[in-house]
Amino acid sequence: MENQEERIRPGQKKTELPPEQIAKLEKADALARQILDYARNTLFMNLRFMKNALGRCNFVPYTGTIAADALCFYYNPLYVLKEFEKNQNKIIRTYLHMVMHCVFQHQFVSPYIRRNLWNLACDIAVEKMIQELQIESKDKTLENRQKSALQYFEQNVKYMTAEKIYEYLTNHNLSEAKCEEMQMLFQEDNHDVWYEGAGGAVLTELSSGKRASDKIRGKNGMSGTSGETEDFTESEAIRKMWQKLAQQIQLDLETFSQQYGTEAGSMMQNLLAVNRERCNYENFLRKFAVRGEVMKIDTDSFDYNFYCYGRSVYEEVALIEPLEYKDVKRIREFVIAIDTSGSVAGKTVQRFIQKTYNILKSQESFFSKVNIHMIQCDTVIQEDVKITSQEEFDEYLKHMKLKGFGGTDFRPVFGYVDELIRKKEFTNLKGLLYFTDGYGTFPQHEPDYKTAFVFLDDEYNNYDVPVWAIRVMLTTDDIMEGK
C-alpha cells in the first residue's frame, strides 16, 4: 500500500518497519473497517430514521482508541478488533454513541466550558437515548448501573439534554472523583478531538497535508475560535449539515417512524433542543428599522473623482461636496406589547425591555425623537405608555409595574394599535414586538405593520404563529445575559 509507513506513524521511514509487520497492520485495518461497516449496517436496519446520519463520517485510523468529530470517525484497528472479540454489541453501541454526539452537535462547544462536566453531560444524554431505543446492551451489569444513575438525573433534571444536565452538574459542584466515577459508567469514546485534535496521532494524512480534523476545527477545535476565516466558515458549514440531518430525523420520528412512540422520548427532547431556533436578538431588531434622514456626512454617496477634478481646475473651489445628511435605517415608531397574563416574572419582563431599549438606543438604530408605545395586555389593554425620548424611557423603566395577570389574547393589542393608526397617532408604524410566554388567540387578518412574537420559553415548546408573523424564541438566559 502506498505511503503505508505514514499511515502507521507519521514521519516514520519505510525501513523502520519490516514488511511482515506492515502486512499485519494492513490486515488489522481491513478487518476493523469491516467491523465498523457491520456496525453501521446493523444500525441502519434497526434505526432507519437515522440512515442519512449513520454514514456521514469517514473512517480514519489513529493511535488512540476510538473518537469522532463532525467529519471523521477515528479508530485504532487493534482496539476495534479487541472490543469486537469481547462483545459484538460493543462496537455497535459505540458507533451509535458517536453518531449521536454528531447529530446533537456536542463537538461545537465554547472554549470556556468545563470540559470534564460537558463530556459527562453529553455521554449521559446520549446513553439515555440509546437505552430508550432498546439497542442490545454490550454489558448488562454496566447497563443496570447506568440505569440507576439515570434515574437520579431524571428525578432532578426535567429535560435530559446535554445542556440541562451540564447546567445541573455545574450548579451542584460535582467533585473530580465523582465526575471520574460517572465517566467510567457512560464514556464510550475519546472526546479530545472535540477540543484539541485527535487524542493520538492520526495515521491517515490528507493530500493537502492537513489532518481530517484540522479541516473543520483549525487549531482551536470545533468551537469556531480559530482566527482563520476559512476554517471557521468550513466549521459552520459542517455544523449546518448536522443541523439539517437533525431536522430530518425529527421529521421522520414525527411522521414515518411513529412506531417508536414514547421509546424515543429523550431523543425527541434533544432534537427539539438542537433544532430550536437560535436568534441574535440585536440583529433581529434591525428588521424593524425604518429609513430616515440624520445630520451626518454621507461619505458613501460622495464622488471623489469630481472633487479631485474640481480642485485641479479651480484650486480652492470644489465642484462637489459630500451631503450633510444621510439616509439610514433607524427606529422612529415602534410598539412593544407585553403579555401580562401570568407566569412571566416582573424581573424578566423588565430585563427584556431593558435589553430591547439598550439595543434600540444605540446610535445606529435610534432617532433622537421617537414614538414608542409600551402596551401591557392580557385579555384587555391594561396600560399604554407613550415614550418620545430616551429620558422618558429611563423614567418608565424606573417606575414600571406589571398589570393584568388574566388570560392570553393577542387580538386586543392589534385592535388597539389599529385604532391608534386611525387616530393618526402613528404616521409610519413598521414594527410591533409582542413579548409572551405562552399560547394565545391571534387576529384573523394580517396587520399593515411588521409583527414579531417573542416567546420566552425554557422548555423546548414549539409555538405556531400566523404566516404573516415572525416567531422569535428566547430563553431566560438569552434575556438575562449581555446588555
Side-chain angles (χ1 to χ4, degrees), residues 181 245 261 390-391 397 403 469:
E181 178 185 340
L245 288 170
Q390 294 185 17
E391 293 75 18
L397 288 173
K403 303 175 182 179

Side-chain angles (χ1 to χ4, degrees), residues 106-120:
H106 293 160
Q107 297 93 335
F108 297 88
V109 295
S110 165
Y112 307 108
I113 206 163
R114 294 179 60 182
R115 294 184 182 181
N116 60 336
L117 296 187
W118 177 247
N119 291 340
L120 177 57

Side-chain angles (χ1 to χ4, degrees), residues 307-436:
Y307 177 80
C308 294
Y309 175 74
R311 293 299 299 270
S312 66
V313 175
Y314 299 104
E315 295 185 354
E316 300 298 326
V317 179
L319 289 180
I320 186 172
E321 293 184 350
L323 296 175
E324 295 181 351
Y325 59 87
K326 186 175 182 179
D327 190 35
V328 297
K329 282 189 174 183
R330 290 193 178 178
I331 304 295
R332 187 187 294 278
E333 294 187 336
F334 206 71
V335 174
I336 299 178
I338 305 298
D339 175 15
T340 61
S341 60
S343 60
V344 177
K347 183 178 180 181
T348 304
V349 171
Q350 288 181 320
R351 190 68 185 88
F352 168 76
I353 295 175
Q354 180 72 63
K355 189 181 185 77
T356 303
Y357 166 59
N358 288 341
I359 296 172
L360 293 180
K361 77 174 183 179
S362 64
Q363 172 132 11
E364 292 302 321
S365 53
F366 210 67
F367 281 104
S368 57
K369 287 296 181 181
V370 296
N371 180 17
I372 296 179
H373 282 251
M374 304 293 304
I375 301 174
Q376 294 189 37
C377 178
D378 45 24
T379 56
V380 295
I381 302 297
Q382 296 291 344
E383 181 185 74
D384 176 23
V385 176
K386 180 178 178 179
I387 296 172
T388 61
S389 66
Q390 294 185 17
E391 293 75 18
E392 290 181 3
F393 213 141
D394 291 333
E395 193 66 21
Y396 173 78
L397 288 173
K398 288 180 183 178
H399 303 288
M400 175 188 175
K401 292 184 179 180
L402 296 183
K403 303 175 182 179
F405 311 109
T408 301
D409 192 339
F410 302 133
R411 294 172 297 181
V413 167
F414 290 90
Y416 180 73
V417 172
D418 290 341
E419 183 63 25
L420 291 178
I421 294 175
R422 284 192 290 270
K423 292 180 179 179
K424 308 299 182 181
E425 174 63 27
F426 295 110
T427 57
N428 189 25
L429 176 64
K430 291 295 184 181
L432 185 152
L433 264 185
Y434 208 128
F435 181 64
T436 179

Side-chain angles (χ1 to χ4, degrees), residues 220-243:
N220 295 320
M222 294 292 293
S223 59
T225 59
S226 171
E228 301 179 23
T229 304
E230 182 179 353
D231 284 340
F232 177 78
T233 302
E234 191 167 2
S235 177
E236 285 300 303
I238 297 297
R239 183 169 188 167
K240 288 180 180 179
M241 177 193 74
W242 284 106
Q243 181 74 45

